[in-house]
Amino acid sequence: MEAKENGPNGEQSGRGKVLDGPTNPMVTPLLTDLYQFTMAYAYWKAGKHHERAVFDLYFRKNPFGGEYTIFAGLEECIRFIANFKFTEEEISFVRESLPSSCEEEFYNYLRGIDCSDVEVYSVSEGSVVFPKVPLLRIEGPIALVQLLETPFVNLINYASLVATNAARHRFVAGKSKMLLEFGLRRAQGPDGGIGASKYCYIGGFDATSNVAAGKLFGIPLRGTHSHAFVSSFMSPDEIIDKSLHSSDGSSICEDFVSLVQTWLSKIQWSNSLRGTFGETNQSELAAFSSYALAFPNNFLALVDTYDVMRSGIPNFCAVALALSDLGYKAGGIRLDSGDLAYLSCEARKFFYAIEKEFGVLGFGKMGITASNDLNEETLDALNKQGHEVDAFGIGTYLVTCYAQAALGCVFKLVEINNQPRIKLSEDVSKVSIPCKKRCYRLYGKEGYPLVDIMTGENEPPPKVGERILCRHPFNESKRAYVVPQRIVELLKCYWPGSSDKAREDLPPLKDIRQRCIKQLEQMRPDHMRRLNPTPYKVSVSAKLYDFIHFLWLNEAPVGELQ
Amino acid sequence: MEAKENGPNGEQSGRGKVLDGPTNPMVTPLLTDLYQFTMAYAYWKAGKHHERAVFDLYFRKNPFGGEYTIFAGLEECIRFIANFKFTEEEISFVRESLPSSCEEEFYNYLRGIDCSDVEVYSVSEGSVVFPKVPLLRIEGPIALVQLLETPFVNLINYASLVATNAARHRFVAGKSKMLLEFGLRRAQGPDGGIGASKYCYIGGFDATSNVAAGKLFGIPLRGTHSHAFVSSFMSPDEIIDKSLHSSDGSSICEDFVSLVQTWLSKIQWSNSLRGTFGETNQSELAAFSSYALAFPNNFLALVDTYDVMRSGIPNFCAVALALSDLGYKAGGIRLDSGDLAYLSCEARKFFYAIEKEFGVLGFGKMGITASNDLNEETLDALNKQGHEVDAFGIGTYLVTCYAQAALGCVFKLVEINNQPRIKLSEDVSKVSIPCKKRCYRLYGKEGYPLVDIMTGENEPPPKVGERILCRHPFNESKRAYVVPQRIVELLKCYWPGSSDKAREDLPPLKDIRQRCIKQLEQMRPDHMRRLNPTPYKVSVSAKLYDFIHFLWLNEAPVGELQ
């Protein structure tokens, strides 16, 4: 899908350069709920479709028992609206799906709409965000903006959820570990996998196994081999071309496999390792040798196909030492089963024993990657037990957000025709905060964010050094004065529509990732801890508080006790 | 992506008609893990890439604490391999992603491959399936089949998981209820939503809200309006065109809004309903009236924006009665918050009171849809409390498979060059079952399936009426004789490759759904119950049992106690 050209220079209503469509071509104006079309028709029929509405997109509760969320998915939303236009085929399908009594003129209306009159204000992608504060504010003709509800919420819910999950995994693993996203095969469908790769990278992962995501987003790729590779070999005899040039090209080893076998027996009879293992698996030895012949500079081996300590590690070391003879440095091992804490420590000891026994400098520091059904809890448990893992490959629990598979973003009408609107509920947490709002993050003396505050659109903004009353939106007793040392306005214009505002650029993925990492570092540690984190405060101005409660009383029916 | 034409009549290696590519155009040969390419290179470098390998795709444990799984995702896999071919751009990216030491000739190899020499045998989509028994058996050149691993597992994992989740929801809801999938906005990304709609339909849902899925798959669509629609109206005064033709076109009501208001006051002062509510919300009354004017034949109203019993239900009834005056029949209400059991019963009483009071036949049976964060447990709780809901709209918990967000399908090498292979593990449940196998479902006298049995490829098949010994693959004491009354071979040829087998047709979605519903009905009830279901038996032949254990001993290193 190509962005249509509205302006004389191929510019769109959003101004600036033409934007590609969403990453997934299935994201079309039909990727929405049927009721958005029935409502659009009802608005149109009532002559109400052009009325200017303001919607807030927000969530009500942080995921994973935590007290923060990473906002992601914005770029896909903007690319979606930049290219929002119905095809004739799509209009025909909408016609088939609505009652035949619907008037034909409505489809002409659909044919004409695009997002040139919609404005989108948003928190920057990769930001740390909190419940109730709008992530996006969308303004425009009500019928059209309703059509955007489902795709926007879809594009942001999972993106923010999985980015948050990634950030939480990074928090537990610590800065020094390499984190690899290995989830494609277990993800919820093809672009569940592609989305996971993109948004885990934003949340602080270093690389992915997903080649398509590497191509689409420039994310670094990582991978070694599987158990099938190991078991596909029967014995070293089947390796035909056994020759390997030395790393500097100066010499050639005619029988690399023999060299490996010589090393294996040296290890077997060495002083420090004698008796730790017997005959190793020959299928595995053949597979490792073969892999090393293919990738002498990038030899990484999965060592748990048969038995880690009695076969995988000795076989790996024999191949790594043979490579070392030829000037190559092996990359390391991957453990994919068993007690990862124990096995990584045993492997480390083995590597140090090799370093000492054979004088191969640095062999003890051989890379160890672990990858068996890891999640926040198992990473935490590994830390507590002590381990020697350098890199974690994380799949299922990360990409499916197994601990909590959904974020509950909602899209609520807060104003129409300049009239504030509220949605009530017996459950106070489900009452919406009315009015077109501005949102600020207030920072304290120590540089930490203290509180987010929402105000009415036309209230004077808070000022650095001036005391401001921050009120809980629904609990009258919760309020506090704050004297902010720094103030950041949260919602920026990412799609100006027909207004004269400047459009914020959509930054490259690496910059979004950097923003995320930086903002996480700036948070006060008690908000971030895994156990009983302190909730971050979200507030409204005194004026907005009063207005919410005035409107609430106005709309709620008065009960009669009987 | 178009299927390439191999044969003189546009036929492919798979024979029969040309197949479209996967539903999601992002499913390309690059949608795989990097290690599939590093392995492909290592196989190629070792001259081993053409060796004929057999892989089994299976899962180890049924999801959701149950004892059955619905198999889905097959059609997408077949459409993927029918169109499997690298573009030059994709090959360039693979070249960039692999070490620069990789030989150029490898990329010529990649350029040449397609799936014309791959064979795929599979259980039919929509079948009830069990752990350990292969869902698919894939045979072909090892390097190529490895490349298929990640996309196949990705396409089947979530499809089977969500179809199973849907089937479980249907089981709890009962046959008579309408089940609507409303999950698009909370799904894990755009095609998480589209996949959910497709596979929930297979699992027994009746309709979806997802318009794109309706278009792609012909699934019935359902939807009404949201809270935003209700709160976008201020008062009935803003409705400009208030006229409505009667259903038969014979007359016109010039002021439908007045008619509604008249009915509202009749209800308010009626004998049986007097005092149950006071002044209803006028914004809501306006929204309902307006929606009825747009959809007089399909009037469905969301009644919980302000207060269900004091505003939503009376307002709905007033509009429904006004419509009834004009010969239209209202569709019903939707409840989206609060105590759904209680509110549905109260609403039902109200409807019957209206029927009685005003003599409107059938009004008591007005449709009630419920839709607030429903899942298996809440459906079960509603059943136990008693409720009057006719249709359930289910979103988040259904489509994200919140109770268990991943199915663990794996893809294991079981044979290469006619040599059986095994993957060992300290965890017995992770040991693979070697050999190219045939799989049968054995049925007993009462028509229920009794046991699935796997045999070696060349063993004589089990015969109806003949006693056969079924053994647990890993537990020597678990075995039983079975005299099957009916036998179904489970794996059928869905992609014959270069063999001369006939290719099974890919049936329409409705047929897959019917197969699923029928197979679920045929299961013995104790396997299906939610609490402590009986595990269905999965077995191997005596000959295969012996061979597994021979190979196991052969491959496992012998430990030394120290």
Side-chain angles (χ1 to χ4, degrees):
Chain A
M1 192 188 289
E2 294 258 317
K4 66 190 191 309
E5 302 190 358
N6 281 358
N9 306 312
E11 289 174 358
Q12 289 163 291
S13 52
R15 277 180 299 283
K17 61 184 171 183
V18 173
L19 295 171
D20 289 335
T23 301
N24 188 342
M26 296 166 89
V27 181
T28 70
L30 291 195
L31 190 75
T32 198
D33 292 305
L34 182 67
Y35 80 176
Q36 312 292 9
F37 286 106
T38 56
M39 285 192 278
Y41 181 75
Y43 288 132
W44 177 84
K45 181 79 177 141
K48 204 177 153 67
H49 53 301
H50 284 311
E51 290 183 4
R52 194 116 190 128
V54 181
F55 285 83
D56 282 350
L57 189 156
Y58 61 98
F59 61 93
R60 296 181 180 125
K61 200 174 178 317
N62 290 302
F64 311 118
E67 291 295 346
Y68 65 96
T69 298
I70 304 301
F71 170 59
L74 174 64
E75 180 178 338
E76 295 293 329
C77 290
I78 300 300
R79 285 163 59 168
F80 174 62
I81 56 170
N83 294 274
F84 186 96
K85 189 84 192 157
F86 286 96
T87 65
E88 282 306 312
E89 194 192 344
E90 287 165 346
I91 287 176
S92 299
F93 187 74
V94 175
R95 189 190 284 106
E96 280 173 42
S97 305
L98 292 183
S100 56
S101 60
C102 291
E103 295 168 35
E104 190 56 32
E105 189 55 27
F106 171 67
Y107 304 105
N108 284 334
Y109 158 68
L110 284 187
R111 203 167 270 126
I113 56 177
D114 61 30
C115 289
S116 57
D117 198 24
V118 172
E119 294 166 50
V120 178
Y121 300 83
S122 175
V123 173
S124 301
E125 190 159 4
S127 296
V128 177
V129 291
F130 304 99
K132 300 191 209 72
V133 184
L135 305 173
L136 286 92
R137 186 179 80 212
I138 302 102
E139 308 176 24
I142 187 161
L144 170 56
V145 178
Q146 289 266 223
L147 292 172
L148 306 178
E149 172 179 12
T150 314
F152 267 48
V153 176
N154 175 284
L155 289 168
I156 285 169
N157 257 329
Y158 175 63
S160 300
L161 183 71
V162 75
T164 307
N165 204 15
R168 296 181 63 86
H169 281 75
R170 166 57 74 194
F171 183 82
V172 183
K175 277 190 200 178
S176 66
K177 301 298 172 190
M178 181 79 115
L179 291 185
L180 316 170
E181 178 271 309
F182 281 177
L184 177 57
R185 66 187 59 196
R186 301 283 168 83
Q188 295 198 352
D191 86 357
I194 289 173
S197 303
K198 176 177 178 180
Y199 297 115
C200 288
Y201 186 63
I202 288 181
F205 270 57
D206 298 297
T208 179
S209 65
N210 179 346
V211 180
K215 181 165 186 295
L216 283 165
F217 310 119
I219 304 170
L221 292 171
R222 288 288 179 283
T224 51
H225 62 78
S226 69
H227 295 115
F229 182 82
V230 175
S231 53
S232 77
F233 287 80
M234 305 295 283
S235 92
D237 301 339
E238 67 183 285
I239 300 175
I240 299 156
D241 183 358
K242 300 176 181 178
S243 68
L244 182 62
H245 275 278
S246 64
S247 171
D248 60 8
S250 66
S251 65
I252 191 162
C253 165
E254 292 297 345
D255 191 345
F256 181 72
V257 176
S258 285
L259 183 60
V260 168
Q261 275 161 328
T262 307
W263 270 114
L264 186 60
S265 93
K266 279 192 204 170
I267 301 170
Q268 217 154 12
W269 298 107
S270 66
N271 288 326
S272 52
L273 297 166
R274 188 179 301 154
T276 59
F277 65 98
E279 202 181 327
T280 63
N281 188 292
Q282 293 300 292
S283 150
E284 182 176 65
L285 191 67
F288 289 179
S289 301
S290 202
Y291 200 79
L293 286 165
F295 298 105
N297 277 306
N298 306 74
F299 175 60
L300 279 144
L302 175 63
V303 293
D304 68 340
T305 304
Y306 300 104
D307 188 302
V308 174
M309 294 312 300
R310 288 201 286 258
S311 186
I313 296 286
N315 279 338
F316 166 80
C317 289
V319 175
L321 288 166
L323 283 173
S324 176
D325 278 352
L326 301 173
Y328 298 102
K329 196 170 171 314
I333 60 162
R334 180 161 71 95
L335 295 167
D336 191 40
S337 61
D339 181 336
L340 299 174
Y342 171 79
L343 290 172
S344 67
C345 293
E346 288 300 302
R348 181 70 69 212
K349 275 190 231 160
F350 203 103
F351 295 150
Y352 271 113
I354 296 273
E355 172 163 351
K356 200 175 157 200
E357 185 89 26
F358 303 108
V360 187
L361 210 68
F363 203 97
K365 294 203 164 61
M366 187 65 70
I368 300 177
T369 300
S371 63
N372 182 34
D373 281 351
L374 297 170
N375 59 26
E376 264 192 84
E377 276 65 41
T378 50
L379 291 180
D380 193 45
L382 282 171
N383 287 343
K384 283 171 183 152
Q385 289 166 74
H387 66 83
E388 287 289 338
V389 177
D390 304 298
F392 293 102
I394 311 184
T396 310
Y397 293 97
L398 175 70
V399 305
T400 66
C401 300
Y402 205 91
Q404 181 183 325
L407 181 66
C409 278
V410 295
F411 192 91
K412 295 291 170 193
L413 180 71
V414 294
E415 190 174 298
I416 184 163
N417 292 331
N418 299 313
Q419 299 292 317
R421 303 306 290 149
I422 193 167
K423 189 239 153 197
L424 302 183
S425 174
E426 287 174 43
D427 180 355
V428 172
S429 74
K430 282 188 153 192
V431 174
S432 64
I433 298 179
C435 301
K436 181 167 168 180
K437 296 179 283 289
R438 297 179 75 168
C439 307
Y440 306 90
R441 182 157 297 171
L442 310 185
Y443 292 77
K445 272 181 288 196
E446 291 167 36
Y448 296 126
L450 292 180
V451 62
D452 284 5
I453 185 166
M454 295 173 257
T455 73
E457 172 74 357
N458 297 318
E459 285 187 61
K463 285 186 187 141
V464 168
E466 281 187 16
R467 201 170 77 147
I468 178 168
L469 181 63
C470 298
R471 298 201 64 167
H472 187 288
F474 303 119
N475 185 332
E476 67 175 337
S477 68
K478 286 194 179 174
R479 50 204 175 149
Y481 284 107
V482 173
V483 181
Q485 301 304 307
R486 185 159 82 91
I487 299 169
V488 173
E489 179 154 15
L490 295 173
L491 297 174
K492 292 175 186 164
C493 180
Y494 279 89
W495 188 257
S498 51
S499 77
D500 56 6
K501 300 201 180 69
R503 187 177 99 196
E504 291 283 326
D505 280 336
L506 295 171
L509 193 61
K510 285 199 172 175
D511 295 1
I512 297 173
R513 181 173 186 269
Q514 275 313 311
R515 172 185 293 130
C516 176
I517 292 170
K518 196 177 148 200
Q519 288 206 7
L520 286 166
E521 284 172 352
Q522 281 177 348
M523 292 298 296
R524 213 173 61 202
D526 59 318
H527 299 309
M528 309 304 290
R529 66 184 174 220
R530 292 189 63 235
L531 201 65
N532 295 326
T534 311
Y536 179 82
K537 287 189 178 52
V538 165
S539 67
V540 295
S541 66
K543 201 171 165 191
L544 183 54
Y545 178 91
D546 291 340
F547 186 74
I548 294 169
H549 293 266
F550 161 77
L551 201 63
W552 194 335
L553 288 176
N554 222 29
E555 295 286 359
V558 184
E560 276 179 53
L561 295 177
Q562 288 171 339
Chain B
M1 194 189 287
E2 295 257 316
K4 66 188 190 315
E5 302 191 358
N6 282 358
N9 305 313
E11 290 173 354
Q12 291 164 289
S13 50
R15 276 179 300 284
K17 61 183 171 184
V18 172
L19 296 172
D20 288 334
T23 301
N24 188 343
M26 295 165 90
V27 181
T28 70
L30 291 196
L31 191 75
T32 198
D33 292 305
L34 181 68
Y35 80 177
Q36 312 292 8
F37 286 106
T38 56
M39 285 192 279
Y41 181 76
Y43 288 131
W44 177 85
K45 179 81 178 140
K48 201 177 156 69
H49 53 300
H50 284 310
E51 289 182 6
R52 194 113 189 129
V54 181
F55 286 82
D56 282 351
L57 189 157
Y58 61 97
F59 60 93
R60 296 181 180 125
K61 198 171 178 321
N62 289 302
F64 310 119
E67 291 296 347
Y68 65 97
T69 298
I70 304 301
F71 170 58
L74 174 63
E75 179 178 337
E76 295 292 329
C77 291
I78 301 300
R79 284 163 60 168
F80 174 63
I81 58 171
N83 294 274
F84 186 96
K85 189 84 191 159
F86 286 96
T87 65
E88 282 306 314
E89 194 192 342
E90 288 166 346
I91 287 175
S92 298
F93 186 75
V94 175
R95 189 190 284 108
E96 280 171 43
S97 306
L98 292 182
S100 56
S101 60
C102 291
E103 295 167 36
E104 190 55 31
E105 189 55 28
F106 172 67
Y107 303 105
N108 284 333
Y109 159 68
L110 285 188
R111 202 167 270 126
I113 56 177
D114 61 29
C115 289
S116 57
D117 197 25
V118 172
E119 293 166 52
V120 178
Y121 300 83
S122 176
V123 173
S124 300
E125 191 159 5
S127 296
V128 177
V129 291
F130 303 99
K132 301 191 208 72
V133 184
L135 305 173
L136 287 91
R137 186 179 79 211
I138 301 100
E139 308 175 25
I142 188 162
L144 170 56
V145 178
Q146 289 266 223
L147 292 173
L148 305 177
E149 172 179 14
T150 314
F152 268 47
V153 176
N154 175 285
L155 290 167
I156 285 167
N157 258 328
Y158 175 63
S160 300
L161 183 72
V162 74
T164 307
N165 204 17
R168 297 182 61 86
H169 280 75
R170 167 57 74 195
F171 182 82
V172 183
K175 275 191 201 177
S176 66
K177 300 297 173 191
M178 180 79 116
L179 291 185
L180 316 170
E181 177 270 308
F182 281 177
L184 177 56
R185 65 187 60 196
R186 301 283 167 85
Q188 296 199 350
D191 88 355
I194 289 173
S197 303
K198 176 176 179 182
Y199 298 115
C200 288
Y201 186 65
I202 288 181
F205 270 56
D206 298 297
T208 179
S209 65
N210 179 347
V211 181
K215 181 166 188 294
L216 284 164
F217 310 119
I219 304 170
L221 292 172
R222 287 291 179 281
T224 51
H225 62 79
S226 69
H227 295 116
F229 182 81
V230 175
S231 52
S232 78
F233 287 80
M234 305 294 285
S235 93
D237 301 339
E238 67 183 287
I239 301 177
I240 299 156
D241 183 359
K242 299 175 180 179
S243 69
L244 182 62
H245 275 279
S246 65
S247 173
D248 60 7
S250 67
S251 65
I252 190 161
C253 166
E254 293 296 346
D255 190 346
F256 180 72
V257 176
S258 286
L259 183 60
V260 168
Q261 275 161 329
T262 307
W263 269 113
L264 186 61
S265 96
K266 281 192 205 171
I267 302 169
Q268 217 154 12
W269 298 105
S270 67
N271 288 326
S272 53
L273 296 166
R274 190 180 300 154
T276 59
F277 63 99
E279 201 182 329
T280 62
N281 187 292
Q282 292 301 293
S283 150
E284 182 176 65
L285 190 67
F288 289 0
S289 302
S290 201
Y291 200 78
L293 285 164
F295 299 105
N297 277 306
N298 306 74
F299 176 59
L300 279 144
L302 175 63
V303 293
D304 68 340
T305 305
Y306 301 105
D307 187 303
V308 174
M309 295 311 301
R310 286 201 286 258
S311 184
I313 296 286
N315 279 339
F316 167 80
C317 289
V319 176
L321 288 166
L323 283 173
S324 177
D325 278 353
L326 301 173
Y328 298 103
K329 197 172 172 312
I333 59 161
R334 179 160 71 94
L335 295 166
D336 190 40
S337 60
D339 180 336
L340 299 174
Y342 171 79
L343 290 171
S344 67
C345 293
E346 289 300 302
R348 181 70 68 214
K349 275 190 233 163
F350 203 103
F351 295 150
Y352 272 113
I354 296 272
E355 172 163 351
K356 201 176 159 200
E357 185 90 25
F358 303 107
V360 187
L361 212 68
F363 202 99
K365 293 203 163 62
M366 186 65 69
I368 300 177
T369 300
S371 63
N372 182 33
D373 281 351
L374 296 170
N375 59 27
E376 265 192 82
E377 276 64 42
T378 51
L379 291 180
D380 193 47
L382 282 170
N383 288 343
K384 283 172 184 154
Q385 288 167 75
H387 66 83
E388 287 290 338
V389 177
D390 305 298
F392 293 102
I394 312 185
T396 311
Y397 293 99
L398 174 69
V399 305
T400 65
C401 300
Y402 205 92
Q404 181 183 325
L407 181 67
C409 279
V410 295
F411 191 92
K412 294 291 170 193
L413 180 72
V414 294
E415 192 174 296
I416 185 164
N417 292 331
N418 298 314
Q419 298 293 318
R421 304 304 291 149
I422 192 168
K423 188 240 153 197
L424 302 183
S425 174
E426 285 173 46
D427 179 355
V428 171
S429 73
K430 284 189 151 190
V431 174
S432 64
I433 298 177
C435 301
K436 181 168 169 177
K437 296 178 283 289
R438 297 179 74 167
C439 307
Y440 305 91
R441 183 157 297 172
L442 310 185
Y443 291 78
K445 273 181 287 196
E446 292 168 37
Y448 296 126
L450 293 179
V451 61
D452 285 5
I453 185 166
M454 296 172 258
T455 74
E457 172 74 358
N458 298 319
E459 285 187 59
K463 286 186 186 140
V464 168
E466 280 187 15
R467 201 169 78 146
I468 177 168
L469 181 62
C470 298
R471 299 202 64 166
H472 186 288
F474 303 119
N475 185 331
E476 68 175 339
S477 67
K478 286 192 179 175
R479 51 206 175 146
Y481 284 107
V482 174
V483 182
Q485 302 303 307
R486 184 161 81 91
I487 298 169
V488 173
E489 180 155 14
L490 294 174
L491 297 174
K492 292 175 184 163
C493 180
Y494 279 89
W495 189 256
S498 50
S499 77
D500 56 4
K501 300 201 181 67
R503 188 178 98 194
E504 291 283 326
D505 279 335
L506 295 172
L509 192 62
K510 284 196 174 179
D511 295 2
I512 297 173
R513 182 172 184 270
Q514 275 314 311
R515 173 185 292 130
C516 176
I517 292 170
K518 197 176 148 201
Q519 288 207 8
L520 286 166
E521 283 171 355
Q522 282 178 348
M523 291 298 298
R524 212 173 62 202
D526 59 317
H527 299 308
M528 310 303 290
R529 66 181 174 224
R530 291 188 65 235
L531 200 66
N532 294 327
T534 312
Y536 179 84
K537 288 188 177 53
V538 165
S539 68
V540 295
S541 66
K543 201 169 165 192
L544 184 54
Y545 179 91
D546 291 340
F547 186 75
I548 293 169
H549 294 266
F550 161 77
L551 201 63
W552 193 336
L553 288 176
N554 224 27
E555 295 287 358
V558 184
E560 276 179 56
L561 294 177
Q562 288 173 337

